[in-house]
Amino acid sequence: MELTGERTTDAIDRPCPVCGRPNGKLFRRGNIDPRRISEFSYASRKEPECMSHTLRVCEGCDLVYADADVSSETLSLAYADAAYDSGFEAHCAARTYHRLLAPWGGRLGAGRCAVDIGAGNGALLPLLAESGFEEVIGIEPSSSAIAAAPADAREHLRHGVFSAEALADVQPSLVCAFMLLEHVPDPVSLLRDVHRVLCPGGLAAVVVHNRRAPVNRLLGGRSPIIDIEHVQLFSPRSLRAALSAAGLEVLAIRSFRNRYPLRYWIRLLPLPAGLKRRITASADRRGWGRAQLSLPVGNLFAVAQKA
Ligand SMILES: [Zn+2]
């Protein structure tokens, strides 16, 4: 995946959004076809389209990033309009994240506030409330995701894009940003805002795709992480660099297994859509479609603390 090392003379608008270094090496040429962009292109847990911006790799911090200028205005509009159809899968992801957070509960104390940025349909929020947080808040830009939220989650959701100002009324001890940092134009600025809103000693919990994970290296351009909506792709080193650049002290970075129903895993396979539909229908007929399966699909979980 990382073999195209030649330096091109193309103009590059965007320096590395983590360490600021300009002129990254070409990683993958862009192949965005405007005719194939649908309202689902910016939805979470969609079917992979294998379209991406031109990507470069930073020799300073190991980040892979889109070299085109990706303005926050364009992106937030795209996410506000994104279609949302993954309630059950969101619930599965939330349970995985909740399991990852469990060992850190002791550090947070009781009765505090937890925030989930990019909360989707709010699936994680009732689980956080169950763990003893007095106040839980989800921030989500997509109105269709909020409309799809179950009642026990919707009351905790705020519609909009995260900023420190949007949380001026609370001082959370936990801020979660799961599968979010790939999508924003300035991930370090977002993490600085997380640092700003956290109470002293508070924790930031982050999940990202790991571009260096075996499965992603193996699939190369067919990996679901090669995607129009990902304007950067992290590895353990670049994730650590991003958290540190925001003033957060990294306590842990580890890979983990995601647990999803078989029918969701089939959807991610790099196969033609018609074939996947037939495999899914066949699995459903046998009653396997909803069977849960844990797989190491190349994701990273990190916890970092505000001093
Ligand atoms: Zn860099």
Side-chain angles (χ1 to χ4, degrees):
M1 198 163 162
E2 211 187 322
L3 299 175
T4 43
E6 101 260 23
R7 215 173 263 287
T8 67
T9 52
D10 304 354
I12 305 169
D13 295 318
R14 193 179 184 227
C16 170
V18 163
C19 73
R21 194 172 166 133
N23 303 317
K25 281 197 304 189
L26 185 65
F27 183 77
R28 185 183 155 78
R29 282 216 181 276
N31 62 340
I32 292 175
D33 177 355
R35 288 164 304 178
R36 284 179 57 214
I37 295 180
S38 68
E39 61 174 337
F40 279 97
S41 292
Y42 287 93
S44 53
R45 287 177 282 274
K46 57 169 193 181
E47 260 180 70
E49 297 166 311
C50 300
M51 285 195 291
S52 76
H53 302 275
T54 290
L55 299 174
R56 297 193 176 262
V57 60
C58 175
E59 292 171 292
C61 74
D62 204 40
L63 189 78
V64 163
Y65 61 96
D67 69 355
D69 183 32
V70 277
S71 81
S72 48
E73 200 182 332
T74 318
L75 280 180
S76 53
L77 278 175
Y79 286 110
D81 294 340
Y84 188 83
D85 74 337
S86 56
F88 185 67
E89 287 84 359
H91 180 68
C92 297
R95 285 201 309 213
T96 296
Y97 301 151
H98 190 236
R99 256 200 309 275
L100 293 171
L101 288 169
W104 298 93
R107 290 214 181 212
L108 296 166
R112 299 296 235 339
C113 166
V115 172
D116 186 16
I117 309 174
N121 73 346
L124 182 63
L125 303 176
L127 301 178
L128 291 172
E130 261 172 45
S131 329
F133 286 99
E134 269 172 18
E135 187 170 15
V136 294
I137 298 168
I139 300 180
E140 172 56 42
S142 162
S143 33
S144 52
I146 294 177
D152 60 344
R154 195 177 309 160
E155 57 181 312
H156 303 295
L157 284 168
R158 296 183 182 183
H159 184 216
V161 174
F162 167 72
S163 67
E165 293 72 35
L167 284 175
D169 55 325
V170 288
Q171 201 176 35
S173 55
L174 173 68
V175 174
C176 304
F178 296 149
M179 293 300 178
L180 176 71
L181 293 183
E182 289 94 344
H183 302 252
V184 297
D186 189 345
V188 172
S189 154
L190 183 140
L191 289 170
R192 281 200 191 104
D193 272 359
V194 168
H195 180 274
R196 197 179 317 161
V197 301
L198 276 171
C199 70
L203 298 182
V206 168
V207 167
V208 293
H209 301 288
N210 177 8
R211 72 175 183 89
R212 288 196 174 272
V215 64
N216 291 326
R217 296 180 77 112
L218 182 74
L219 289 174
R222 310 281 286 165
S223 163
I225 71 171
I226 298 299
D227 197 298
I228 185 171
E229 61 177 303
H230 292 154
V231 292
Q232 50 267 330
L233 293 168
F234 293 86
S235 62
R237 186 150 74 90
S238 51
L239 180 58
R240 181 176 290 276
L243 291 162
S244 304
L248 292 157
E249 187 200 342
V250 179
L251 303 181
I253 296 185
R254 52 165 285 215
S255 54
F256 64 95
R257 286 169 169 254
N258 279 80
R259 200 170 156 81
Y260 280 114
L262 179 62
R263 65 193 330 276
Y264 172 73
W265 292 120
I266 294 169
R267 202 168 139 184
L268 291 185
L269 291 174
L271 297 172
L275 180 56
K276 285 193 281 192
R277 270 196 298 276
R278 287 200 294 280
I279 297 174
T280 306
S282 158
D284 281 343
R285 270 199 305 279
R286 288 171 171 80
W288 299 343
R290 299 220 155 213
Q292 301 278 321
L293 192 61
S294 286
L295 291 175
V297 282
N299 291 329
L300 287 173
F301 172 67
V303 175
Q305 188 166 37
K306 175 172 174 171

